[in-house]
Amino acid sequence: MTTSVTFATSDLDVRIVEELRIDGRIGRNELAAKLGVSRPTISKRLNALIESGRVHVVGIVHPSTIGLDALAHVAIAVDKPVRQVAARIAELHDVPYVSLTSGRYPLIAEIRTAGAARLAASLERIRSIDGVRETNTLVYTDLIVDIGRPDKVPVTHLDPLDVRLLGVLQDDGRASYTELAEAAGTSPGTARIRVKRLIDDGVLRIGALTGGQHETEVAVGFGIRASGSASDLAEVIKDLPGVNFLASTIGRFDLLGTVHATRLEDVVSSLDTVRALRSVLDLESWVHFRTVKERYNNVPVLSTIQEENP
């Protein structure tokens, strides 16, 4: 029997989101048992979070696994209302992330695409948008920690069925096995086995992304100029509390990262720890005010794999 515990609605929502970040496919019965509330209450709050767009439960795959080998962070200065410009940039297919930020550049976008030529074309499209005054680009040389921390897996380890399932889960991480089977052209049992293997192997991480900026969460980006080996420094930083994104880059920074926490004090503590590291020459940070877009749902290797494995 489940013991009933009383939460304020906002507190319960926070707890639900925390559990979904750990396991985006957690069942409603298990979620109710973990949080000590009834299943109808969990269903009501979970449905409200997802239907409102405050939470997206999606499958995250390391971009190199699905053939995205050209990645960049673009800081953007504007001369038109920033929300207007952000909305236009968010329409671009190769741009999975757009955020309103503090500092000199009030807008940040990320590009994930295949090949240098497509990356250059995406940058050109961003520059051509009315209201974009200036762009400052960091090209990733290695994505060390991605959202959800999926592992890098060679494309050759995936077959067409794997890729079809990944494509569905990148849009809806809580799709039922029946829905997955219908979309991927297989049986529910096979879909279940394949998805479990992809998760167990670390290829796929299913978790919650909060639409907009969640009211209980602080997200701060940071850029580092380093002396000596940036890769050695990254090994230290990647496991610090709250670091959920870290990349080595070419441009004005050697490393680029993001820290998430429920309290600003925790973010400050993490950044102070980074500043104290001997090889950190300089650290610049900015606050993410609002996430306009965060959807990592591009699987460009599908046609290639299908051609190689008819």
Side-chain angles (χ1 to χ4, degrees):
M1 181 176 179
T2 301
T3 302
S4 180
V5 179
T6 302
F7 292 108
T9 299
S10 60
D11 292 338
L12 179 56
D13 288 353
V14 170
R15 296 282 301 280
I16 290 172
V17 171
E18 288 173 350
E19 293 297 333
L20 289 173
R21 282 192 172 131
I22 297 169
D23 178 7
R25 291 185 68 82
I26 187 171
R28 293 169 192 257
N29 288 338
E30 184 181 354
L31 189 55
K34 277 194 169 189
L35 300 185
V37 297
S38 69
R39 188 185 191 283
T41 297
I42 285 295
S43 291
K44 180 180 178 181
R45 295 312 313 152
L46 181 58
N47 291 343
L49 285 168
I50 293 173
E51 291 171 5
S52 69
R54 289 173 58 196
V55 172
H56 297 287
V57 180
V58 297
I60 303 293
V61 184
H62 195 283
S64 64
T65 299
I66 53 175
L68 301 176
D69 56 2
L71 316 176
H73 170 279
V74 188
I76 302 162
V78 300
D79 54 18
K80 293 284 178 69
V82 67
R83 289 186 182 88
Q84 174 184 316
V85 179
R88 291 286 308 282
I89 293 173
E91 294 172 358
L92 301 178
H93 178 67
D94 288 342
V95 175
Y97 181 81
V98 180
S99 178
L100 308 182
T101 61
S102 64
R104 175 184 174 188
Y105 298 102
L107 183 57
I108 285 174
E110 185 180 71
I111 299 171
R112 297 188 177 198
T113 191
R118 288 188 61 174
L119 176 60
S122 295
L123 283 168
E124 191 65 26
R125 282 193 290 272
I126 289 175
R127 293 191 192 100
S128 68
I129 289 174
D130 185 34
V132 172
R133 181 171 60 82
E134 175 192 350
T135 61
N136 191 303
T137 303
L138 296 167
V139 176
Y140 299 176
T141 57
D142 187 21
L143 183 51
I144 301 157
V145 176
D146 196 16
I147 303 298
R149 294 180 178 260
D151 293 335
K152 301 177 186 178
V153 178
V155 170
T156 53
H157 287 201
L158 304 176
D159 66 18
L161 178 55
D162 289 330
V163 176
R164 288 196 296 272
L165 291 168
L166 290 175
V168 177
L169 290 166
Q170 284 186 303
D171 281 322
D172 181 4
R174 291 184 66 83
S176 70
Y177 291 113
T178 299
E179 292 169 331
L180 287 165
E182 291 176 354
T186 188
S187 68
T190 299
R192 181 188 296 271
I193 291 169
R194 288 297 189 100
V195 170
K196 185 177 187 304
R197 178 177 61 79
L198 290 167
I199 293 173
D200 289 346
D201 289 349
V203 177
L204 174 69
R205 303 292 188 193
I206 297 178
L209 302 177
T210 53
Q213 188 61 52
H214 199 274
E215 60 266 25
T216 62
E217 184 178 68
V218 180
V220 175
F222 62 88
I224 294 170
R225 290 193 302 110
S227 64
S229 171
S231 59
D232 288 346
L233 178 59
E235 285 299 308
V236 176
I237 294 173
K238 72 178 186 179
D239 293 321
L240 292 177
V243 174
N244 73 341
F245 178 87
L246 186 66
S248 55
T249 59
I250 295 173
R252 69 189 190 280
F253 300 127
D254 301 305
L255 292 172
L256 176 77
T258 308
V259 178
H260 282 245
T262 55
R263 301 188 311 158
L264 182 59
E265 292 82 356
D266 294 333
V267 173
V268 172
S269 178
S270 291
L271 293 181
D272 278 345
T273 300
V274 173
R275 285 191 188 93
L277 297 173
R278 173 181 288 184
S279 56
V280 173
L281 296 177
D282 186 43
L283 184 148
E284 181 180 325
S285 62
W286 50 90
V287 176
H288 289 272
F289 292 134
R290 181 172 180 79
T291 304
V292 176
K293 179 183 181 183
E294 189 172 21
R295 298 303 298 269
Y296 304 96
N297 55 349
N298 192 350
V299 189
V301 298
L302 175 57
S303 59
T304 301
I305 291 176
Q306 287 177 326
E307 289 169 4
E308 294 175 353
N309 301 278

